[in-house]
């Protein structure tokens, strides 16, 4: 008596990809738009630290006065290498958004964090350089 094997069942076919819901599309667009704004903000901060902030060193040196600690820190931190590092961070954020494009929530969270960090760094640096200028011009008048 010979044993006949049972025929193998067809393997299950993958279901066709589903269309993303409108909410998912909106989330993806918002995440990538936020990434674009964050990258632009980081590049603007990079340019500020690389080109604008170092020029204040000569301005403050002419007045021969003691600077606040925050202003001294911003001037010490500024320079082409700092600008390059911030630009590399912007590139890293853009690459992160590309790699994790299927996870808009993660991309949006990272982009919002980067955007807030860039805005905070810009605000601190601008105030650190602007406020001593106001004090110096008032002392001259």
């Amino acid at each position: 008596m010979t044993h006949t094997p049972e025929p193998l069942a067809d393997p299950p076919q993958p279901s066709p990809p589903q269309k993303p819901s409108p909410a998912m599309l909106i989330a993806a667009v918002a995440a990538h738009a936020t990434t674009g704004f964050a990258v632009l903000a980081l590049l603007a901060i990079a340019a500020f630290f690389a080109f604008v902030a170092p020029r204040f060193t000569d301005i403050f040196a002419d007045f021969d006065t003691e600077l606040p600690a925050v202003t001294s820190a911003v001037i010490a931190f500024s320079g082409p290498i700092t600008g390059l590092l911030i630009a590399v961070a912007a590139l890293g954020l853009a690459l992160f958004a590309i790699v994790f494009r299927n996870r808009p929530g993660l991309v949006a969270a990272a982009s919002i964090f980067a955007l807030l960090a860039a805005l905070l760094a810009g605000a601190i640096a601008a105030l650190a350089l602007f406020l001593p200028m106001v004090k110096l011009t008032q002392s001259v008048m």
Side-chain angles (χ1 to χ4, degrees):
M1 179 167 188
T2 59
H3 177 62
T4 350
E6 294 181 26
L8 296 175
D10 290 336
Q13 297 296 323
S15 60
Q18 297 179 354
K19 287 177 60 175
S21 68
M24 284 299 293
L25 288 175
I26 290 171
V29 168
H32 293 297
T34 306
T35 302
F37 288 132
V39 167
L40 288 175
L42 285 170
L43 291 175
I45 295 300
F48 179 81
F49 276 110
F51 303 112
V52 177
R55 293 180 184 238
F56 280 84
T57 305
D58 298 332
I59 295 170
F60 292 138
D62 289 342
F63 284 99
D64 194 36
T65 184
E66 187 175 334
L67 296 173
V70 176
T71 304
S72 298
V74 167
I75 289 174
F77 184 70
S78 65
I81 295 194
T82 301
L84 181 63
L85 291 175
I86 296 171
V88 168
L91 178 64
L93 178 63
L95 290 175
F96 179 84
I98 291 169
V99 170
F100 292 102
R101 65 184 171 271
N102 293 332
R103 299 194 52 199
L106 182 64
V107 171
S111 298
I112 289 170
F113 175 77
L115 182 61
L116 291 176
L119 292 174
L120 182 64
I124 289 171
L127 284 175
L129 296 176
F130 177 72
L131 291 178
M133 291 295 291
V134 171
K135 182 180 174 185
L136 291 172
T137 54
Q138 287 177 347
S139 68
V140 171
M141 292 182 173

